[in-house]
Amino acid sequence: MHRLTPLSTDEVLEYVQAIPGLVPSGVRLTVREIGDGNMNFVFRVTGQGDSETTSVIVKQALPYMRSVGAAWPLTADRILIEYETLETQHQLCPGSVPRVLHYDDELSLIVMEDLSSYIVLRDGLISGRRFPSFASQIGVFLARTLFFTSSYALNATELAFNRIKFANPDMVKITSDFIFTFPFMNHEMNRYSQVLDSTVQRIWNNGRLHDEVAGLKRAFNHEP
């Protein structure tokens, strides 16, 4: 049975303190909710002791979309899929994904490495920064994670098991709807500036574009 309400900041603080070996003795912790308010609840827990610093991320998934509430149900198992995905990717390409420090199935949450000392690649590129190692790093990550989870490395039984294990229909539907469907029609979930109305109308009425998008949507939904 999954918890139907999110943890409060005080509960997050108590929870992290109770995880054996996670917080060094003498470290005083503070909690801040940093989620974007859309899907999940995300907290940053930081602390400073006499000689040690602690900083972790707590992410909790509830059985609905946070921004809408119970009217938009989602399986809380998505956090289990995320946990197992991160663990698999770390095993195949160590150091390329955030380390999972703790997983709790009952509360549908994971505690993971805090990457706040990093920057988002998109933001760095927009600001003009160069990343000379990026191509090789992402190439190795993709090569190892894609090859060793494919039919080239797994037998038919393992592949079939993984397809079931990592199936995430709720999240697939969200992408199918919000990326490949809603933007191309007059839908209540769309939000745009009225200045763009003529452009939006052209998109909604472009049959050739809709045909191309339909092909991409089919590939996304049926070619995992």
Side-chain angles (χ1 to χ4, degrees):
M1 176 68 69
H2 290 290
R3 183 187 176 109
L4 297 179
T5 58
L7 293 174
S8 67
T9 53
D10 288 340
E11 288 173 321
V12 169
L13 182 63
E14 294 175 4
Y15 186 90
V16 170
Q17 289 175 324
I19 299 175
L22 183 63
V23 181
S25 60
V27 172
R28 296 170 295 279
L29 297 177
T30 59
V31 182
R32 185 164 62 95
E33 214 276 309
I34 62 170
D36 59 10
N38 185 32
M39 183 97 41
N40 304 304
F41 290 81
V42 184
F43 304 85
R44 174 172 288 122
V45 183
T46 58
Q48 179 67 54
D50 295 334
S51 60
E52 296 185 80
T53 299
T54 296
S55 186
V56 298
I57 299 298
V58 177
K59 183 176 183 180
Q60 184 184 26
L62 298 176
Y64 55 79
M65 182 178 289
R66 175 181 178 180
S67 60
V68 179
W72 192 307
L74 293 173
T75 174
D77 288 342
R78 66 186 184 275
I79 204 74
L80 170 61
I81 297 171
E82 180 174 347
Y83 160 67
E84 292 184 331
T85 299
L86 289 172
E87 288 290 273
T88 299
Q89 291 171 334
H90 175 72
Q91 292 169 9
L92 295 176
C93 197
S96 297
V97 295
R99 285 306 317 273
V100 176
L101 306 173
H102 181 77
Y103 169 72
D104 189 319
D105 182 67
E106 182 177 355
L107 293 178
S108 297
L109 67 76
I110 51 179
V111 181
M112 67 177 74
E113 178 184 6
D114 182 6
L115 301 183
S116 58
S117 60
Y118 290 73
I119 66 169
V120 176
L121 177 65
R122 178 180 63 252
D123 295 339
L125 293 174
I126 290 173
S127 68
R129 293 186 58 175
R130 302 181 70 86
F131 300 90
S133 300
F134 173 70
S136 60
Q137 289 172 340
I138 197 65
V140 169
F141 173 76
L142 290 172
R144 292 192 61 82
T145 56
L146 294 175
F147 176 83
F148 287 109
T149 58
S150 74
S151 58
Y152 292 103
L154 302 177
N155 61 43
T157 301
E158 293 170 327
L159 192 65
F161 175 79
N162 275 354
R163 283 177 174 166
I164 297 172
K165 177 181 178 181
F166 290 102
N168 200 348
D170 281 350
M171 302 306 294
V172 169
K173 185 178 186 306
I174 287 175
T175 301
S176 181
D177 287 343
F178 283 87
I179 303 299
F180 297 109
T181 307
F182 297 164
F184 304 96
M185 59 170 37
N186 186 2
H187 194 277
E188 62 182 358
M189 296 301 293
N190 291 332
R191 301 288 186 274
Y192 63 92
S193 169
Q194 292 304 307
V195 176
L196 299 175
D197 189 63
S198 61
T199 301
V200 170
Q201 292 298 327
R202 287 199 300 272
I203 292 173
W204 287 350
N205 294 297
N206 188 329
R208 181 179 177 185
L209 173 63
H210 293 184
D211 289 343
E212 294 292 334
V213 172
L216 295 174
K217 180 178 177 179
R218 184 202 60 80
F220 175 78
N221 285 322
H222 301 291
E223 300 178 15

